[in-house]
Amino acid sequence: MIDKPRDYCGIFGIQNHPDAALLSYYGLHALQHRGQESAGIVTSYFDEEKKRWVMPAHRDFGLVLKVFDDQKMFKNELKGRAAIGHNRYSTTGAARNPANIQPFRVHYHKGNIAIGHNGNLANAQQLRNRFRQEGVLFQSTSDTELILHLISHSQKATQIEQVLDALEQIEGAYSLVMLTDDKLIAVRDPNGFRPLALGKVDGSYCIASETCAFDIIDAEYIRDIDPGEVLVIDQEAGSDSEPDSYHLEPEYGTDTSQCIFEYVYFSRPDSKIFGENVDKVRRNLGKHLAKEHPISEVVRRDTGDTKPIVISVPDSSNTAALGYVHENQKLGYECKFEIGLIRNHYVGRTFISPGQKSREQKVRTKFNTVKGVIEGRSVIIVDDSIVRGTTSRYLVNMIRQANPAEVHFLVSSPPVIGPCFYGLDFPDPKELIANRYGRDIDAMAREIGVDSLRYLSAKGLVEAVRESNPSSGGYCTACFTEDYPVPVNFGIGKEENEIV
């Protein structure tokens, strides 16, 4: 029933802090929206009694609050002053395989190493075939494991050189946190597809997919990890020395290709990614939507003195809807933002309604209309995206039952027409409503039951983002334009090459 694409994970790391595991737990909780199937934390410390480095781990299926429901584990099990954590969403085929729960950890001739990954390796199939020919056995179906094999097989002299050697052999989208016995390593691919930020708390460096993970632990945002940067943070960094920084060259000479859908839907509005606040960008998306589709061109019926109302589909489209209203008012068009849909935040991922009849019932468990707000009004629904169109159709049906004068649907992004191969899970292209109807907007409007359907143009999307953040580099718009910046092996099956 899910009618939005899903991200594959959130990652967090911290070095040289007495509460490393606990702060990782809080960080993962803030990043829960990026992955909700499993969670894990790995720490590192030197065992004085055994005279060796140890990497304890705790990983399981479920949300962060469920996986780490025993406070004692942070003192008794997850010891150490360094930790990395991972929230995971996977493809369906391998979702319940415990071997795929991250962070992964291994012990090899250079010591221990653990890894958490957000993204998708474009050349995973080629690497997997190579290792199979060499007789390598795989413990998981995740492409993340390939990075560990590349490191362990490297003939370079030092562990850091082995890591750099491995990174030079992978392609695609990846933001990584790695933990060695005494170092925390943060990596962002040369195209910078996925976000990754550097922060500092109590003098200790930390890494996170989004800055909302810093806010929850009262950490200071320092900067983004640069595209192609490999940041090595040792135990002294933050007090006596700065982290070492290395840089990877783009494999195809392409420009920065930051995922524009992070701004549209995925990231939390209180986060800062790619150098700009998400809330600011989403408001600007709403403003550009108003410039392309002002109220005067949308509303058809005269409802007397009653102003048209704009409602959002909570929660990800709230700020875009506000931006749309404010820009219309600035342009001199009367309209009003109203709370017309209420979201039930207590519906769990495994909620099953008694005698469940249809997908529509699932939508009704999550949303309800405020009938007194909607009745007799011209209603403009603002949403961030439409993928399959099923949820949109059910929402419109609910709103129609509240007797509005008319219903229009505005989307603060272009039609989704292509899959993502860089770390987001979109449905099969045949399931995308824009493809099913040959990108016929009027036919799509009839499908979801609205008087009109309007999208922000691809040009307007990019202009809105660049206007908000003019110095942040380029963006990937492949899901809207099918312009893929990095070549991908399109024959890879999901279960064979799981994206995490």
Side-chain angles (χ1 to χ4, degrees), residues 244-442:
D244 293 325
S245 182
Y246 307 85
H247 281 81
L248 306 169
E249 293 298 323
E251 181 70 19
Y252 296 96
T254 54
D255 295 329
T256 304
S257 307
Q258 299 165 131
C259 174
I260 207 163
F261 215 96
E262 290 278 356
Y263 279 133
V264 171
Y265 171 70
F266 275 116
S267 296
R268 277 177 40 166
D270 52 331
S271 285
K272 186 175 186 177
I273 63 163
F274 307 145
E276 187 53 85
N277 295 320
V278 176
D279 175 83
K280 177 182 176 181
V281 175
R282 287 185 183 163
R283 286 175 187 267
N284 213 34
L285 294 178
K287 291 178 182 179
H288 276 256
L289 186 64
K291 292 176 181 178
E292 293 186 5
H293 307 291
I295 288 283
S296 60
E297 296 179 7
V298 175
V299 173
R300 300 172 180 176
R301 288 184 57 181
D302 182 5
T303 55
D305 295 332
T306 305
K307 297 179 182 178
I309 63 169
V310 176
I311 67 174
S312 65
V313 180
D315 293 310
S316 56
S317 62
N318 291 350
T319 49
L322 287 170
Y324 181 79
V325 169
H326 290 163
E327 185 64 19
N328 269 288
Q329 292 172 343
K330 182 179 176 181
L331 294 170
Y333 304 128
E334 290 190 334
C335 62
K336 185 178 181 182
F337 179 79
E338 288 281 6
I339 305 298
L341 283 171
I342 301 296
R343 180 182 173 186
N344 183 351
H345 291 268
Y346 301 96
V347 177
R349 297 185 68 254
T350 58
F351 182 89
I352 300 176
S353 58
Q356 183 176 342
K357 297 181 296 184
S358 66
R359 291 180 176 182
E360 185 171 4
Q361 184 61 52
K362 291 184 179 181
V363 175
R364 288 183 179 277
T365 64
K366 190 173 182 179
F367 296 104
N368 197 22
T369 56
V370 184
K371 296 180 175 62
V373 169
I374 294 171
E375 187 173 8
R377 310 290 286 276
S378 294
V379 178
I380 295 96
I381 306 167
V382 173
D383 202 356
D384 51 76
S385 58
I386 301 178
V387 181
R388 288 185 175 91
T390 50
T391 298
S392 302
R393 184 171 70 250
Y394 299 144
L395 285 174
V396 170
N397 183 53
M398 291 170 58
I399 290 170
R400 288 286 191 193
Q401 293 175 15
N403 298 316
E406 56 185 351
V407 181
H408 305 275
F409 207 111
L410 274 66
V411 186
S412 61
S413 63
V416 177
I417 60 174
C420 175
F421 297 94
Y422 308 125
L424 305 184
D425 180 30
F426 281 83
D428 185 282
K430 296 178 182 177
E431 298 180 39
L432 301 174
I433 187 172
N435 289 342
R436 291 204 314 271
Y437 288 95
R439 307 175 195 179
D440 184 333
I441 302 298
D442 291 337

Side-chain angles (χ1 to χ4, degrees), residues 75 108 144 161 176 198 243 250 263 278 299 374 388 416 497:
K75 290 186 178 180
Y108 75 119
T144 309
E161 289 175 327
L176 310 172
L198 175 68
Y263 279 133
V278 176
V299 173
I374 294 171
R388 288 185 175 91
V416 177
N497 178 36

Side-chain angles (χ1 to χ4, degrees), residues 195-209:
L196 197 62
L198 175 68
K200 209 170 191 180
V201 56
D202 301 328
S204 302
Y205 283 108
C206 49
I207 304 292
S209 294

